[in-house]
């Protein structure tokens, strides 16, 4: 049986990827608890902030809005941007390698849960110029 501390993980228990637009706390990942087929975690976006248009080559993504409101863009199969206003309870499916972006348009923070399949594309975020590692508990 897996170690309980690796099965039940809170965002405060792991180091986070910090950026000018917010942070990503990976709570499920090969390096966190040995997950092999996917990775995921919590994204926190302050009001007025968001991540710019990007993609994850070879990976699909699920974005679930936990709280807050925003504008989500996912390009269609022809590369045309499709934009929707999203809020709590909305699930966004980003097909493999598809460009997408998220902007918090609400007055307060926006919190998302994201899943990448297969695991790995999120590690490329470490190469961004505004990346910083935020120690667990901060």
């Amino acid at each position: 049986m897996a170690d309980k501390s690796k099965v039940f993980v809170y965002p405060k228990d792991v180091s986070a990827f910090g950026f000018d637009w917010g942070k990503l706390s990976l709570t499920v990942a090969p390096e966190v608890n040995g997950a092999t087929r996917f990775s995921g975690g919590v994204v926190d976006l302050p009001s007025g902030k968001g991540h710019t248009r990007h993609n994850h080559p070879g990976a699909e993504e699920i974005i679930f809005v936990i709280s807050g409101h925003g504008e989500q863009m996912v390009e269609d199969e022809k590369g045309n941007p499709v934009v929707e206003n999203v809020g709590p309870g909305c699930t966004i499916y980003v097909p493999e390698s598809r460009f997408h972006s998220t902007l918090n348009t609400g007055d307060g923070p926006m919190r998302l849960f994201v899943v990448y399949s297969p695991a790995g594309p999120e590690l490329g975020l470490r190469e961004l110029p505004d990346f910083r590692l935020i120690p667990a508990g901060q």
Side-chain angles (χ1 to χ4, degrees):
M1 184 169 153
D3 180 54
K4 183 177 180 180
S5 66
K6 293 182 181 179
V7 176
F8 301 99
V9 183
Y10 290 88
K12 66 178 178 54
D13 297 335
V14 296
S15 58
F17 294 4
F19 307 95
D20 293 345
W21 51 262
K23 70 178 181 177
L24 166 62
S25 302
L26 288 174
T27 53
V28 178
E31 63 275 14
V32 174
N33 47 19
T36 58
R37 293 190 172 102
F38 58 86
S39 60
V42 177
V43 174
D44 291 295
L45 299 172
S47 182
K49 298 288 185 173
H51 58 79
T52 58
R53 178 185 176 275
H54 68 285
N55 72 342
H56 307 286
E60 296 175 294
E61 182 176 0
I62 297 168
I63 303 169
F64 179 78
V65 181
I66 298 170
S67 62
H69 293 85
E71 187 176 275
Q72 181 67 50
M73 185 281 292
V74 179
E75 289 185 350
D76 66 17
E77 60 281 347
K78 295 179 182 175
N80 300 311
V82 177
V83 179
E84 285 281 334
N85 290 318
V86 296
C90 184
T91 300
I92 299 107
Y93 168 61
V94 182
E96 182 178 337
S97 306
R98 199 77 56 87
F99 282 92
H100 58 285
S101 63
T102 308
L103 175 65
N104 179 351
T105 58
D107 293 335
M110 185 177 193
R111 183 166 256 203
L112 313 169
F113 189 81
V114 298
V115 177
Y116 307 97
S117 179
E122 69 285 353
L123 297 179
L125 296 171
R126 293 176 181 241
E127 305 304 317
L128 295 175
D130 63 338
F131 169 81
R132 65 191 180 285
L133 192 63
I134 301 170
Q138 293 188 15

